[in-house]
């Protein structure tokens, strides 16, 4: 390890990073809310305090929605902000560290220990709270690296860029807007939770809506009607068959994951009166997109599976399939790209072991960066199996190790001035 690397690692303040993570978690930045904007403003201030040149702007939502390739949204939104900080240096950024500030809703508050999802409760080496894992620990690591650079006095030859984005959870609006504004870099590390592994490929996910018609009748004479819930069951069975078919012989990069392309129905709504036969059921869910698959082909697969159902009522009254909300294509780091080995070497120098390599079964901003010509991968603190749940948490020792590895990566990719 070089003297400059040692200086920057010594400048990393572990206690300060934990305090920063707690501060981030305590902002209830659910996708599309005012608190999401508040946290973007705070990130911009932190980047400016670290000496970066900060570009902070209000998103033109109408223009973005009309742009080719718009990734879709699900949460209501009246505003959004972009924040990018860039260190001094020559040329385009040699590396981008990227993180999203938004989190998913909390769900039933009674299921959270202590009843406060945003309390940032610390127990031993673990910090609990909504967003602790997905992905405010990664965001804190990015911010801690630039603070350590400023504190150490080490100057980079090539710039480092830090992208803080909104709207990742419902499609990727913030990343899309950041790239549309012209922010670039030679490569990007998105500090999503990876459990110590490097994720060099991510499947996609498309939000679907299925409307199944029934025929209304009084509940006392239900034989005169057709229950939309009952005729939805063949649709659900067709979805499960399609899921099994699409997950045969998955790409080896998923490292034994038995279901890399899940299809799930997340919400079902039917009926408007307890003593009436429901004449409409609306189901919404997500369809996994296979690596390198055109999302249009994935949509056709679901639409075709539903069209082929042999149920007599459904043949006469075919379900309507539409595609609202977030539309995540798949993406992957180009084969043989040097970034993977560079990240792995930095991790090994911190932990003493080369990290595992795998792929993610969910959509992320990775595909937008790769499609925009910026090779990207995931590496960050936290276990994604704990995300989006009332047990969400992150191990603070993992946060420490990831922050140190990212600091080494920044110095080695960007270079250090004499």
């Amino acid at each position: 390890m070089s003297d400059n690397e040692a200086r920057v690692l010594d400048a990393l303040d572990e206690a300060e990073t934990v305090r920063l993570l707690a501060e981030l978690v305590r902002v209830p930045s659910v996708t599309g809310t005012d608190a999401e904007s508040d946290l973007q403003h705070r990130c911009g201030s932190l980047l400016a305090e670290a000496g970066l040149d900060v570009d902070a702007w209000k998103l033109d939502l109408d223009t973005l929605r009309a742009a080719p390739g718009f990734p879709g949204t699900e949460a209501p939104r009246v505003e959004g902000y972009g924040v990018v900080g860039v260190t001094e240096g020559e040329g385009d950024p040699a590396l981008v560290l990227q993180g999203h500030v938004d989190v998913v809703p909390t769900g039933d508050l009674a299921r959270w220990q202590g009843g406060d999802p945003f309390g940032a409760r610390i127990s031993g080496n673990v910090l609990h709270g909504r967003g602790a894992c997905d992905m405010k620990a990664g965001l804190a690591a990015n911010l801690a690296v630039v603070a350590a650079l400023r504190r150490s006095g080490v100057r980079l030859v090539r710039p480092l860029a830090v992208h803080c984005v909104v709207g990742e959870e419902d499609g990727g609006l913030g990343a899309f807007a950041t790239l549309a504004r012209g922010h670039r870099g030679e490569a990007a590390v998105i500090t999503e939770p990876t459990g110590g592994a490097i994720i060099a490929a991510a499947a996609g996910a498309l939000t679907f809506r299925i409307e199944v018609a029934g025929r209304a009748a009084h509940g006392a004479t239900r034989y005169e009607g057709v229950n939309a819930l009952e005729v939805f069951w063949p649709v659900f069975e067709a979805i499960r068959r399609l899921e099994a078919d699409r997950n045969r012989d998955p790409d080896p990069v998923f490292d034994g994951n038995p279901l890399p392309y899940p299809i799930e129905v997340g919400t079902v709504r039917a009926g408007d009166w307890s003593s009436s036969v429901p004449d409409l059921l609306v189901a919404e869910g997500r369809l996994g997109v296979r690596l390198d698959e055109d999302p249009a082909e994935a949509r056709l697969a679901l639409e075709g599976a539903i069209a082929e159902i042999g149920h007599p009522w459904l043949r006469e009254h075919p379900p309507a399939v539409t595609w609202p909300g977030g539309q995540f294509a798949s993406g992957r780091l180009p084969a043989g790209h040097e970034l993977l080995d560079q990240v792995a070497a930095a991790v090994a120098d911190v932990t003493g072991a080369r990290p595992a390599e795998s792929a993610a079964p969910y959509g992320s901003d990775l595909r937008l960066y790769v499609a925009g010509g910026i090779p990207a991968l995931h590496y960050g603190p936290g276990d994604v199996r704990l995300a989006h749940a009332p047990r969400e948490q992150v191990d603070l020792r993992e946060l420490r190790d990831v922050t140190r590895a990212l600091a080494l990566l920044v110095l080695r990719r960007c270079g250090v001035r004499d």
Side-chain angles (χ1 to χ4, degrees), residues 69 71 171-176 179 330 364-374:
L173 169 69
F176 183 76
L179 297 172
S330 68
S364 79
D365 284 342
L366 182 151
R367 96 283 188 188
L368 295 172
Y369 280 78
V370 171
I374 304 173

Side-chain angles (χ1 to χ4, degrees), residues 357-404:
E357 299 167 20
S358 189
Y362 51 82
S364 79
D365 284 342
L366 182 151
R367 96 283 188 188
L368 295 172
Y369 280 78
V370 171
I374 304 173
L377 55 76
H378 293 177
Y379 172 68
D383 184 341
V384 72
R385 293 173 297 180
L386 301 174
H388 295 207
R391 63 188 184 280
E392 185 167 1
Q393 59 189 259
V394 68
D395 190 313
L396 298 174
R397 294 165 297 188
E398 189 176 348
L399 171 61
R400 174 200 62 206
D401 290 347
V402 167
T403 306
R404 290 170 69 85

Side-chain angles (χ1 to χ4, degrees), residues 9-35:
L9 294 188
D10 287 344
L12 286 169
D13 186 328
E14 185 176 349
E16 179 184 87
T17 305
V18 172
R19 287 194 296 270
L20 173 59
L21 173 58
E23 176 191 341
L24 299 177
V25 170
R26 289 180 183 130
V27 180
S29 53
V30 174
T31 305
T33 64
D34 290 346

